[in-house]
Amino acid sequence: MRLKNKSALITGGTSGIGLATAKLFIAEGARVAVTGRDVAAFERVKAELGENALVLKGDVRSIEDMKAIAAEVKEKFGGLDVVFANAGRAFPSAVNDIDEDLYNEIMDINVKGVVFTLQAVLPDLREGSSVILNTSFVAQTGKHGISLTAAAKAAVRSLARSWSYEFLDRKIRFNAIAPGAMDTPLISKWGMSDEWVRDRKAEFAKAVPVGHMGKAEDIAYAALYLASDESSYVVGTELVVDGGASQL
Ligand SMILES: NC(=O)c1ccc[n+]([C@@H]2O[C@H](COP(=O)([O-])OP(=O)(O)OC[C@H]3O[C@@H](n4cnc5c(N)ncnc54)[C@H](OP(=O)(O)O)[C@@H]3O)[C@@H](O)[C@H]2O)c1
């Protein structure tokens, strides 16, 4: 029970990494609010997470949505000890394919969403709380065809450093987790065929030194460490969980 009596908010907690993390946090004693946009998934998510979960609708790109979510979490939980700013998406973005819409889509979900999630919940963060930002292994090295997503995640990694400084007086810790190629629904949302998705996953697996893609739970365990008091001396860092992809 490493999160006993703690309250957490996980954006993008209705699928993949966010959902696995919500399950683990609840198993460790936390009450958890998760957010997503696709209400069709909400009943299933509520059933999976149980009575210690709130499932809230909101788009991280909307400042109004994030304010409304913060207000509801405040009303139900009273305050927050952990925030996992996890909602985000990766888009293939070879430089010639980038138009203004794609630029805005990538930056708004991955950067604007994190900034205004934090701003909305700031007044409700208790002293000693932990904020975890989800970055990506694609920002650790150069990667072909995904430059803008990598740049957005590099910006988020930078925020973890700067915000750590800004909130030292409130003893709020900021850290990032950089997942590697994780086997989640993320790439199935690119609108490609099942066969294409299967082939890409096989390619990703081959490119990882340990020989397979990661599981959402691999990131959930890293988030649990950063959320718990066991990491109280860990500030402003980025924990890379990528099967060695960017390190070996
Ligand atoms: N999977 C990987 O290989 C990988 C690698 C590196 C980093 N990451 C990062 O890990 C995070 C989670 O990814 P995942 O693999 O778990 O993907 P996922 O299974 O597609 O889950 C994404 C979650 O984010 C939510 N979401 C997406 N856009 C949103 C928006 N505009 N507003 C609010 N919620 C939104 C989705 O809910 P709705 O669909 O209802 O909006 C869903 O709950 C992302 O930040 C991603 O960049 C993933």
Side-chain angles (χ1 to χ4, degrees):
M1 287 290 175
R2 290 150 80 185
L3 300 180
K4 196 167 175 356
N5 299 326
K6 305 240 184 195
S7 300
L9 169 68
I10 301 176
T11 62
T14 56
S15 171
I17 290 167
L19 181 59
T21 305
K23 282 183 195 162
L24 184 60
F25 281 11
I26 289 169
E28 292 287 337
R31 287 186 299 173
V32 178
V34 297
T35 77
R37 293 167 305 166
D38 178 12
V39 286
F42 280 21
E43 283 312 312
R44 174 184 51 77
V45 172
K46 279 182 195 164
E48 278 187 54
L49 294 180
E51 61 185 16
N52 283 326
L54 279 179
V55 184
L56 304 175
K57 182 175 180 328
D59 189 324
V60 291
R61 294 170 297 182
S62 158
I63 296 173
E64 287 314 306
D65 280 9
M66 294 320 297
K67 282 184 180 166
I69 283 170
E72 192 157 352
V73 170
K74 166 91 177 154
E75 188 195 320
K76 299 276 170 37
F77 291 173
L80 279 168
D81 306 286
V82 179
V83 174
F84 185 20
N86 164 73
R89 289 183 68 189
F91 298 85
S93 52
V95 69
N96 270 332
D97 300 334
I98 299 170
D99 59 17
E100 196 175 353
D101 287 345
L102 182 62
Y103 178 92
N104 289 336
E105 180 88 13
I106 292 174
M107 290 300 174
D108 284 358
I109 292 179
N110 292 299
V111 185
K112 179 182 174 187
V114 171
V115 171
F116 290 103
T117 294
L118 177 72
Q119 213 179 61
V121 299
L122 255 185
D124 309 324
L125 286 177
R126 297 193 176 102
E127 185 168 304
S129 54
S130 168
V131 179
I132 304 157
L133 311 182
N134 198 335
T135 58
S136 175
F137 78 124
V138 299
Q140 297 286 316
T141 60
K143 286 255 180 296
H144 181 74
I146 195 153
S147 58
L148 207 50
T149 299
K153 293 298 195 178
V156 175
R157 196 274 168 263
S158 173
L159 291 172
R161 287 194 166 103
S162 302
W163 287 343
S164 291
Y165 250 115
E166 249 181 84
F167 296 99
L168 282 174
D169 57 340
R170 286 176 59 188
K171 299 185 172 50
I172 300 172
R173 296 184 296 118
F174 291 80
N175 289 287
I177 297 176
M182 313 310 290
D183 192 358
T184 70
L186 182 133
I187 71 162
S188 312
K189 298 174 183 172
W190 289 354
M192 309 302 271
S193 68
D194 290 349
E195 193 187 1
W196 186 92
V197 170
R198 203 177 48 243
D199 290 350
R200 291 299 79 66
K201 286 188 175 181
E203 271 175 24
F204 293 155
K206 248 193 249 168
V208 183
V210 298
H212 59 85
M213 293 181 77
K215 300 186 300 296
E217 290 74 15
D218 295 321
I219 306 303
Y221 281 112
L224 174 62
Y225 169 65
L226 291 174
S228 75
D229 294 339
E230 289 162 14
S231 62
S232 58
Y233 203 56
V234 181
V235 179
T237 195
E238 184 177 45
L239 181 48
V240 180
V241 184
D242 70 355
S246 63
Q247 311 296 321
L248 309 188

